[in-house]
Amino acid sequence: MNLLERELHYPLGDTLPEPGETLEVAPGVRWIRMRLPFALDHINLWLLRDTLDGVEGWTVVDCCIARDEARAQWEQVFETQLQGMPILRVIVTHMHPDHIGLADWLCTRWNAPLWISSTDYHVARVLSTAGDTLAGGEPAARFFASHGLTDPESIAKIRARTNYYANMVPSVPESFVRMLDGDIVTIGGHDWRCISGYGHAPEHIALYCDDLKLLLGGDMMLPRISTNVSVHAGEPEANSLRLFLDSIDKFKALPADTLGLPSHGKPFRGIHRRVDQLQEHHRDRLAELLEACTARALTAAEGLPILFKRELDLHQMTFAMGETVAHLHLLWFSGQVKRELGKDGIYRFGVKAA
C-alpha cells in the first residue's frame, strides 16, 4: 500500500471475489472481478438486485471486454450467483472496451436493455463499426506525429492498428436507454443519481445511492491509480484535464462516509481525500511541465518522460502521449504557455513563442 492509499480506508481489506463468483459489499450489491490482458489487469463489475415491470432479477453495471475468458466467467456467474433470477438491465458507465465490450452479448443473452449516456453510446457504435480513429489508423498516426512522436516503427504500428476497439467491442446493442446528469435510476427500490463526468470518456456516468451511501464511480474515482485523461485524434483541441478536474469536484458534495465502488482497485472510503489527492497529483505534474516549458519549448513527446518515469510499451505510450498533451493543453488554454506549430509540422509549447 502506497502513502496515498494509507489515507483511505478499505473496509474489506484484501478480500477479493473469486473468479466467476460474487462478494456482497452492501445489501443487494455484489462485486464481480474479472481479469484483463493489460498492465491494468482487472475490472470490477457489479450486480444489483432489482425489480423491473414486476419481474425480480438483477441489474449489471459494466461488462468486461469481449473475450472467451470473460464470457466463461459470466456463464459461471449466471449458473451460480443469480439465485435463479434473470439479468433485467445492463448499465454501462462509459464506452471504453473493458466496460462495454460484452454489453451486446449480455443484452442479447437476456433480452435486456442497455442503459448508457447518449454520447458514449454513439461513440461506441462508430468505433465498433467504422474503425478506430482514436487509438489507431492514419488519423491517430498523424496526431501523435504532430506532437513529436517521430519514431517510424511506432508510427507504423499505430497506423496499422485500425481494429483495436472492434477487437474488444465487436458490436453494440442497436438501441439504448439514455442516462443524463441528475437522472434518478431506481434499482431494487433504491434511487441512484446519475453524475456525469468528462475528460476520461465523452460522457461518463457514475451512480450514487444516498440510501446505501454507495458510489459506483466507474473510472472517474479510482483509489490507487490516477484515471487516464487524454487528448486524442478525434478531438485534438480538447481541454480534457480541465474537464476531468472540474468533474471530480462533484464528488466532494457526497457524504464523507460514502463507500466508493471503483472499476479498478478495491472498495474504499475517503472519497473527499481522494479528490484532493488527484487534484494535488495533477497540480504537481502541471508545475513540472511548466518549469520544463520555461527552460525551452517542448513537444508532448519530449514532455512525456517528465510525467512518466517508467519504461512504457507502445500501448502504454500512446495513452501517456495523450495524457501529456492533456496537461500541456491545460497550460495552453489557461494562458500559462503558448503553442506554436513548427515548420516541421510539430506542436511545441513554451513560455515564449517557440
Side-chain angles (χ1 to χ4, degrees), residues 52-337:
L52 279 179
D53 299 323
V55 178
E56 293 191 12
W58 302 88
T59 281
V60 168
V61 179
D62 288 334
C63 307
C64 200
I65 62 173
R67 65 192 302 240
D68 290 341
E69 182 179 349
R71 291 187 187 90
Q73 288 184 42
W74 271 120
E75 292 290 357
Q76 187 176 342
V77 168
F78 301 156
E79 183 177 345
T80 65
Q81 304 295 305
L82 300 187
Q83 301 170 18
M85 293 179 287
I87 301 296
L88 303 174
R89 151 173 57 190
V90 176
I91 292 176
V92 168
T93 57
H94 63 294
M95 46 68 63
H96 289 159
D98 49 333
H99 298 262
I100 200 173
L102 281 174
D104 195 27
W105 178 76
L106 282 168
C107 291
T108 300
R109 176 87 157 64
W110 292 98
N111 192 29
L114 170 68
W115 290 52
I116 188 174
S117 72
S118 179
T119 312
D120 278 49
Y121 173 78
H122 289 291
V123 171
R125 283 294 297 267
V126 169
L127 294 181
S128 64
T129 57
D132 190 349
T133 58
L134 306 185
E138 185 59 37
R142 288 198 305 268
F143 173 75
F144 287 120
S146 74
H147 284 285
L149 182 61
T150 56
D151 171 50
E153 182 178 355
S154 296
I155 290 296
K157 288 180 178 178
I158 292 169
R159 184 177 287 115
R161 194 170 61 182
T162 56
N163 292 315
Y164 178 76
Y165 191 89
N167 286 337
M168 295 180 283
V169 189
S171 59
V172 175
E174 293 182 352
S175 64
F176 72 104
V177 178
R178 184 178 189 178
M179 295 192 297
L180 285 164
D181 184 65
D183 282 356
I184 300 298
V185 181
T186 301
I187 304 172
H190 299 291
D191 288 343
W192 293 77
R193 176 166 55 89
C194 296
I195 304 174
S196 61
Y198 304 94
H200 173 67
E203 190 183 5
H204 184 293
I205 298 291
L207 291 154
Y208 171 69
C209 179
D210 196 51
D211 291 344
L212 300 173
K213 294 294 189 293
L214 294 180
L215 173 70
L216 287 164
D219 278 355
M220 292 298 292
M221 188 47 46
L222 303 178
R224 181 178 176 82
I225 61 174
S226 59
T227 302
N228 178 258
V229 181
S230 287
V231 177
H232 53 73
E235 192 182 353
E237 302 293 304
N239 194 1
S240 303
L241 184 55
R242 178 76 277 148
L243 293 173
F244 176 77
L245 295 174
D246 289 346
S247 294
I248 62 175
D249 267 347
K250 297 178 183 179
F251 299 127
K252 296 291 284 286
L254 301 182
D257 60 347
T258 296
L259 179 63
L261 303 180
S263 289
H264 309 283
K266 295 176 291 187
F268 72 103
R269 286 195 172 92
I271 285 172
H272 294 178
R273 179 61 191 135
R274 186 56 181 152
V275 172
D276 290 340
Q277 288 177 354
L278 290 167
Q279 298 277 5
E280 292 162 6
H281 166 79
H282 288 292
R283 184 179 64 238
D284 291 346
R285 302 293 81 74
L286 288 164
E288 290 177 331
L289 268 182
L290 180 59
E291 181 179 5
C293 291
T294 302
R296 68 180 180 91
L298 295 179
T299 68
E302 292 167 334
L304 187 151
I306 297 171
L307 300 186
F308 298 89
K309 313 297 185 185
R310 66 187 185 279
E311 186 174 346
L312 304 172
D313 60 26
L314 181 65
H315 174 79
Q316 297 165 332
M317 187 267 291
T318 54
F319 283 107
M321 275 288 293
E323 185 142 354
T324 304
V325 176
H327 282 77
L328 289 168
H329 273 198
L330 190 150
L331 294 173
W332 172 45
F333 279 105
S334 63
Q336 297 178 75
V337 301

